[in-house]
Amino acid sequence: MGITKSEIFTEQQNEIALIAKAFGHPARVAILQHLFKMQTCICGDLVEEIGLAQPTISQHLKELKNLGLIKGNVEGTSVCYCINEDKWNEALGLFKEFLELQPNTVNSCK
């Protein structure tokens, strides 16, 4: 398998690909959906809600936090997570612009 040469792609292309990778696992999608549904920071009840082991949930939370899609705040002995609204809105804009592209139907391939 070759090395990804991200430097030959635009910053926007790389950002879309990174966020798409986060959406590429149903557990991460479920975590994001749960955070949106609760509309508050969540402290520790994701294991019961998502149905995966704590280490697995922690790994997915780490991925989402590294991308900036969620924020984590330490409260006592636990970490509380919530959606990073600024980053989410940025991602929404990127995907909206990308997904609204229309194919050129005049020269369509057959």
Side-chain angles (χ1 to χ4, degrees), residues 43-100:
C43 303
D45 66 345
L46 286 169
V47 171
E48 289 180 26
E49 183 65 32
I50 307 299
L52 297 172
Q54 181 61 54
T56 304
I57 294 288
S58 294
Q59 183 61 39
H60 290 301
L61 288 168
K62 180 181 173 186
E63 291 288 329
L64 292 168
K65 189 172 180 195
N66 286 344
L67 283 171
L69 293 174
I70 63 173
K71 299 185 278 188
N73 301 312
V74 176
E75 291 189 15
T77 59
S78 64
V79 180
C80 298
Y81 292 97
C82 60
I83 299 292
N84 180 343
E85 292 179 40
D86 292 338
K87 185 66 174 185
W88 184 263
N89 288 329
E90 179 185 317
L92 180 62
L94 283 170
F95 273 88
K96 185 176 180 182
E97 182 181 337
F98 176 61
L99 293 174
E100 286 180 341

Side-chain angles (χ1 to χ4, degrees), residues 9-71:
F9 301 105
T10 67
E11 183 178 333
Q12 183 185 41
Q13 290 166 335
N14 282 303
E15 188 70 14
I16 289 170
L18 284 172
I19 295 168
K21 182 180 175 187
F23 294 156
H25 197 289
R28 291 192 285 269
V29 172
I31 289 168
L32 290 167
Q33 288 176 325
H34 183 68
L35 291 173
F36 273 110
K37 183 175 87 175
M38 299 310 293
Q39 296 184 343
T40 186
C41 288
I42 302 297
C43 303
D45 66 345
L46 286 169
V47 171
E48 289 180 26
E49 183 65 32
I50 307 299
L52 297 172
Q54 181 61 54
T56 304
I57 294 288
S58 294
Q59 183 61 39
H60 290 301
L61 288 168
K62 180 181 173 186
E63 291 288 329
L64 292 168
K65 189 172 180 195
N66 286 344
L67 283 171
L69 293 174
I70 63 173
K71 299 185 278 188

